[in-house]
Amino acid sequence: MNLLPKSYEEFAQTDYWNAFFKKRGGKAFEWYGEYLELCEQIHKYVKFTDKIVMLGCGNSNLSMDMYDAGFKEIINIDISAVAIKKMVELNSYNRSDMKFLQMDATEMSFENDYFSVAFDKGTLDALFVDDTEPVKITVEKYFNEINRTMKSGGRYLCVTLLQEHILKYILDYFPKHSFMLRIVHCRDAENANREKNAYNPETITMPIFLVVATKFKCLPTPILEFCLTSDKIQRLTTVEELMNAVISIQKAALVCNGLARNSIAGHNEITMDLCKLGENVPRFTLHILDQPPARNLGKYAAFIIPQGREVDWLFATPEGRKKLLASTNYQRLVVVLLHRDQEYESLDSVKAELADSIKNLAPFGLTEPIPFLSLGSDVGKRETLVCASSKISGEFRIEEVEGSNGKLFRRLIFLNNQSVIQSEALVKKIKGKGKKERKKIDFGYLACQHHLYMSVGVQMSVITGHQNNDLKDVLVLGLGGGGLCSFLHKVLDCIRVTAVEIDPIMLEVAEQYFELKQDDRLYIVIDDGLLFLEKCKIEGISFDAILFDVDSKDISLGMSCPPSSFLESNVLTNIKSIIGSKGVFIINLVCRNDELRTQALENLNKYFSAICTYKLEEDINEVIYCSNDKDYQSLDKWKKILAASAKALNNSVKKTKLNSTDMLNICDFMNDLSI
């Protein structure tokens, strides 16, 4: 039998409620929760001595449970004579002194200042069916009656779903009438509803709130509060902040309801941030992924990324997280990112903090415990050395994180793209005088795999360049922490490196925190890289190799490295001239858009006689080698020279004993080259 109204307007009609309660018979109907689920809030805001009016009591057990718990001064009113008659009959023996009156809550017959508590569980939502003018007039009469009959210091308690039009009206009415306003998220009632509906896939569980409006004779300024948990009350300064706090919970609930009933296998992952109450900075970021169900797969798990590992390809990219999902053997996986500038006590404390949120994202019908997965038994270690900002690069951090096997890494991170390591160095701890331990940068370590393959291109320029005893000149656009430049300087003593960096602060960072040292073979120029290329072309300055390792500040673009302006016609014309017939132009290309990648390669083909590319297996990076030498138009020729260059680079690394750098697997390298 259908007990829901045909239209929302019927909620406000007396005939509807009479018919409703006749159909229900003697069975209680509980809107938004029962006494046990609401008792924590009830006992917090209602005293046993309060004189209470239960607005729109219906045939709910709430007032009876409150009476049995010790709240004796309760008057129940309802517009439905059928409901009142049934409640009088039900309570005539055990609760004969509790009153039940048929009365319209918008026209109550009580005298002024009569009650100290007005309790509303679902009545406002039943009245406030839409935001049309006639409905608003009715609601205003309802609130005015509550205001009139309530003592100063009394409270209006309303259990509600707080639909947007209701929320806006409440936020306008009560502060304007000198009520202190607090909104409490009733998680116990919401969770109970979710458990009741756990086996009904058609039911959507929405957040339940308690509005606590406390009457004062006069409030000089509005008092607005939000309570996300029973012990955490946040004082807010504007109505907009309070509205956003409620709406954010409601939006999250919609996502959770959708995820409970639907798989997103074959679709993009869903990402949501979790913040502490009153804070805009995320504490956790959750990535939710699904794969098609199979017999050997568990239903659901959460994976916590240790601090410092969030930049790994496996965790930092959608492609990597898909691979992680497949490896964990679960249908659904929530990948949890811990944010910098936040403190996490332990892995167990993180699990406890996330428990409710993770549970809310579970697929429908899940009964087994939800396992938490990670890479180890702790949350990892991260120490921030510097918090600073640059006009060009924006906010950045220099931090140290502990990686696998206890290795210590120092990183430069731009906060506008926190999933990418701008620069990383391996930090060695060595004993100095008096056996005091100090830290030293290991220049043999290359954090970015693509830097190793770019270095092969530099070695190629040494092999193919003009055969003389002069140093080979290498130009690098983009300095960052200087890791690539320092590596080239240490490994190849036959080259002279000039690095061009537009941001002067990055030079300070490289020198102070990454131990970059300038000398006659390593020189840093603070300039716009494209303008520097223009000057070199005009002044006839040549380089044996030019490296582009510059990222775009706009991370929304399909090609994030290099910026599109670095591949424009005038720039490529300048480079073609500067490297001459024997030089090499090497680009770190990061492109998620196939069309943009094709366009970039076609543009390069217009200006250079020969192009060869190497796509890194896991990273999105692609190293492109460009030459003006027509001899390299065949793939075999490229393979021959790059194989020789890779072998020579490996030998140079061995000679300098910089063993922290991974040696190149020349066979794999050759197999993955393409033109």
Side-chain angles (χ1 to χ4, degrees):
M1 185 180 294
N2 181 18
L3 299 180
L4 296 176
K6 296 174 184 177
S7 66
Y8 287 120
E9 287 77 7
E10 292 184 6
F11 268 118
Q13 303 300 317
T14 304
D15 291 343
Y16 167 75
W17 293 111
N18 283 331
F20 180 91
F21 288 114
K22 282 180 180 178
K23 290 177 182 179
R24 291 288 306 177
K27 188 177 180 180
F29 188 77
E30 298 297 347
W31 296 99
Y32 313 151
E34 301 179 20
Y35 172 75
L36 287 177
E37 297 143 13
L38 297 169
C39 65
E40 180 182 357
Q41 304 302 331
I42 291 172
H43 285 267
K44 186 173 183 178
Y45 296 109
V46 186
K47 299 189 293 289
F48 288 127
T49 55
D50 279 326
K51 184 174 283 189
I52 305 163
V53 59
M54 193 68 67
L55 302 163
C57 65
N59 67 345
S60 167
N61 287 334
L62 181 63
S63 62
M64 293 183 281
D65 291 334
M66 289 179 64
Y67 182 94
D68 294 343
F71 300 95
K72 302 302 183 182
E73 293 287 322
I74 303 176
I75 298 177
N76 300 271
I77 68 170
D78 198 281
I79 198 172
S80 169
V82 174
I84 293 299
K85 182 180 178 182
K86 287 185 178 296
M87 294 300 279
V88 169
E89 292 172 355
L90 184 63
N91 292 278
S92 60
Y93 180 72
N94 291 328
R95 306 174 190 89
S96 57
D97 57 339
M98 185 162 63
K99 296 179 181 178
F100 291 89
L101 305 174
Q102 182 190 1
M103 190 181 297
D104 186 341
T106 66
E107 296 179 10
M108 291 188 283
S109 58
F110 305 114
E111 61 188 51
N112 295 347
D113 305 326
Y114 190 74
F115 296 104
S116 52
V117 171
F119 206 117
D120 171 345
K121 185 161 75 81
T123 301
L124 177 63
D125 289 7
L127 283 174
F128 212 157
V129 292
D130 57 42
D131 60 353
T132 58
E133 235 10 79
V135 171
K136 286 181 179 178
I137 291 171
T138 300
V139 171
E140 184 166 11
K141 289 173 63 179
Y142 177 60
F143 282 166
N144 287 342
E145 280 294 274
I146 292 169
N147 190 7
R148 179 186 67 79
T149 59
M150 185 177 292
K151 297 177 180 179
S152 179
R155 292 188 175 102
Y156 168 57
L157 304 180
C158 178
V159 184
T160 169
L161 295 181
L162 278 183
Q163 299 95 318
E164 187 174 357
H165 63 282
I166 296 177
L167 176 61
K168 286 181 179 179
Y169 196 91
I170 282 174
L171 291 175
D172 176 66
Y173 182 91
F174 287 108
K176 190 166 61 180
H177 288 81
S178 293
F179 280 77
M180 170 185 166
L181 187 61
R182 177 181 295 170
I183 296 178
V184 181
H185 182 203
C186 297
R187 300 178 70 175
D188 288 344
E190 183 182 330
N191 290 336
N193 278 0
R194 184 176 290 107
E195 289 176 8
K196 289 175 187 176
N197 299 323
Y199 299 99
N200 184 356
E202 301 301 321
T203 303
I204 294 177
T205 304
M206 292 304 295
I208 298 171
F209 299 93
L210 175 68
V211 174
V212 184
T214 305
K215 181 178 178 180
F216 289 90
K217 289 182 178 178
C218 180
L219 277 179
T221 57
I223 299 177
L224 307 169
E225 295 179 339
F226 186 73
C227 185
L228 187 60
T229 60
S230 59
D231 58 347
K232 179 73 173 180
I233 298 172
Q234 178 73 30
R235 180 70 58 88
L236 304 175
T237 56
T238 66
V239 165
E240 288 74 20
E241 285 181 304
L242 188 49
M243 181 176 291
N244 289 338
V246 172
I247 290 175
S248 65
I249 290 174
Q250 292 170 330
K251 287 182 177 179
L254 288 173
V255 173
C256 293
N257 277 291
L259 286 169
R261 289 154 180 80
N262 300 283
S263 170
I264 56 171
H267 299 277
N268 293 334
E269 64 185 31
I270 291 176
T271 299
M272 64 169 61
D273 290 330
L274 300 181
C275 306
K276 283 186 174 181
L277 181 61
E279 296 181 2
N280 293 321
V281 178
R283 180 161 172 79
F284 302 101
T285 293
L286 309 183
H287 301 283
I288 304 107
L289 307 91
D290 281 344
Q291 60 180 323
R295 285 187 178 181
N296 64 325
L297 295 181
K299 277 194 173 182
Y300 180 44
F303 188 100
I304 299 172
I305 307 169
Q307 294 182 94
R309 299 297 299 274
E310 69 280 347
V311 293
D312 293 4
W313 175 85
L314 193 65
F315 310 126
T317 65
E319 297 81 7
R321 291 189 287 268
K322 284 182 182 178
K323 188 171 182 179
L324 176 66
L325 169 65
S327 69
T328 56
N329 292 322
Y330 284 93
Q331 291 178 32
R332 172 169 295 171
L333 186 69
V334 176
V335 183
V336 181
L337 167 70
L338 313 182
H339 280 261
R340 52 182 43 85
D341 299 331
Q342 297 278 346
E343 292 186 8
Y344 306 96
E345 184 179 335
S346 66
L347 189 60
D348 286 340
S349 69
V350 168
K351 291 177 183 178
E353 191 174 356
L354 285 168
D356 284 343
S357 297
I358 296 299
K359 186 177 180 181
N360 290 341
L361 297 168
F364 176 77
L366 183 75
T367 56
E368 57 264 31
I370 302 168
F372 280 88
L373 314 175
S374 191
L375 295 177
S377 59
D378 59 47
V379 290
K381 296 179 181 178
R382 187 202 320 265
E383 179 186 0
T384 300
L385 304 181
V386 174
C387 299
S389 181
S390 156
K391 290 181 180 179
I392 296 173
S393 304
E395 288 188 73
F396 63 88
R397 298 283 187 274
I398 300 170
E399 58 190 28
E400 286 185 350
V401 299
E402 189 174 296
S404 57
N405 301 321
K407 290 184 177 180
L408 187 64
F409 298 96
R410 186 170 296 172
R411 292 173 176 170
L412 168 64
I413 303 287
F414 291 158
L415 296 194
N416 62 358
N417 192 6
Q418 297 188 42
S419 63
V420 174
I421 301 173
Q422 188 65 26
S423 294
E424 180 179 82
L426 178 62
V427 180
K428 290 182 175 179
K429 294 181 179 180
I430 60 175
K431 290 184 179 180
K433 293 180 180 180
K435 296 185 178 181
K436 186 177 181 181
E437 196 174 67
R438 65 185 181 90
K439 295 176 180 178
K440 183 174 177 58
I441 299 297
D442 181 354
F443 293 116
Y445 170 78
L446 283 179
C448 305
Q449 190 73 358
H450 69 272
H451 279 169
L452 196 54
Y453 296 98
M454 296 183 83
S455 300
V456 172
V458 175
Q459 181 71 66
M460 173 185 164
S461 73
V462 174
I463 294 175
T464 61
H466 297 288
Q467 301 303 312
N468 54 46
N469 295 325
D470 294 338
L471 294 172
K472 305 301 178 184
D473 280 303
V474 177
L475 176 64
V476 179
L477 265 59
L479 177 66
L484 175 59
C485 294
S486 294
F487 173 79
L488 292 172
H489 179 260
K490 289 288 184 182
V491 172
L492 301 176
D493 57 7
C494 58
I495 67 169
R496 177 169 46 222
V497 179
T498 300
V500 181
E501 172 60 52
I502 195 171
D503 190 345
I505 291 180
M506 288 302 107
L507 176 56
E508 296 179 27
V509 166
E511 290 180 330
Q512 293 181 30
Y513 295 96
F514 293 88
E515 298 180 16
L516 180 137
K517 292 181 174 59
Q518 299 187 62
D519 59 19
D520 57 352
R521 290 198 305 109
L522 178 55
Y523 181 61
I524 313 301
V525 178
I526 302 301
D527 199 355
D528 182 313
L530 301 185
L531 293 178
F532 185 84
L533 289 171
E534 183 74 26
K535 293 173 190 173
C536 290
K537 165 75 181 307
I538 294 171
E539 297 175 14
I541 300 172
S542 63
F543 284 91
D544 298 281
I546 297 177
L547 282 65
F548 275 9
D549 191 29
V550 187
D551 66 332
S552 171
K553 300 306 177 189
D554 186 351
I555 61 175
S556 66
L557 299 176
M559 187 169 73
S560 57
C561 186
S564 57
S565 59
F566 278 64
L567 296 181
E568 290 180 356
S569 299
N570 61 319
V571 177
L572 298 180
T573 300
N574 291 338
I575 293 171
K576 180 181 177 71
S577 173
I578 293 168
I579 64 173
S581 61
K582 296 294 183 181
V584 62
F585 173 38
I586 309 154
I587 306 165
N588 172 32
L589 181 70
V590 180
C591 191
R592 295 170 176 82
N593 184 303
D594 290 340
E595 186 177 336
L596 289 177
R597 177 187 178 275
T598 300
Q599 183 180 333
L601 291 174
E602 288 177 351
N603 206 26
L604 289 168
N605 272 307
K606 292 178 184 177
Y607 293 90
F608 299 96
S609 304
I611 292 177
C612 183
T613 69
Y614 177 76
K615 178 73 174 69
L616 274 69
E617 183 180 352
E618 288 191 340
D619 290 342
I620 198 171
N621 302 70
E622 185 173 8
V623 178
I624 303 176
Y625 307 95
C626 305
S627 171
N628 291 324
D629 192 337
K630 293 182 179 179
D631 287 346
Y632 294 105
Q633 289 181 338
S634 74
L635 183 58
D636 287 342
K637 188 72 174 179
W638 274 112
K639 285 186 175 181
K640 183 177 179 180
I641 186 61
L642 288 174
S645 301
K647 185 176 180 180
L649 183 67
N650 281 350
N651 290 335
S652 296
V653 170
K654 288 179 181 178
K655 287 179 182 178
T656 53
K657 298 182 180 180
L658 298 175
N659 296 324
S660 49
T661 294
D662 293 332
M663 303 301 283
L664 283 160
N665 187 321
I666 299 174
C667 292
D668 290 345
F669 183 25
M670 295 306 102
N671 291 336
D672 292 332
L673 289 171
S674 61
I675 59 172

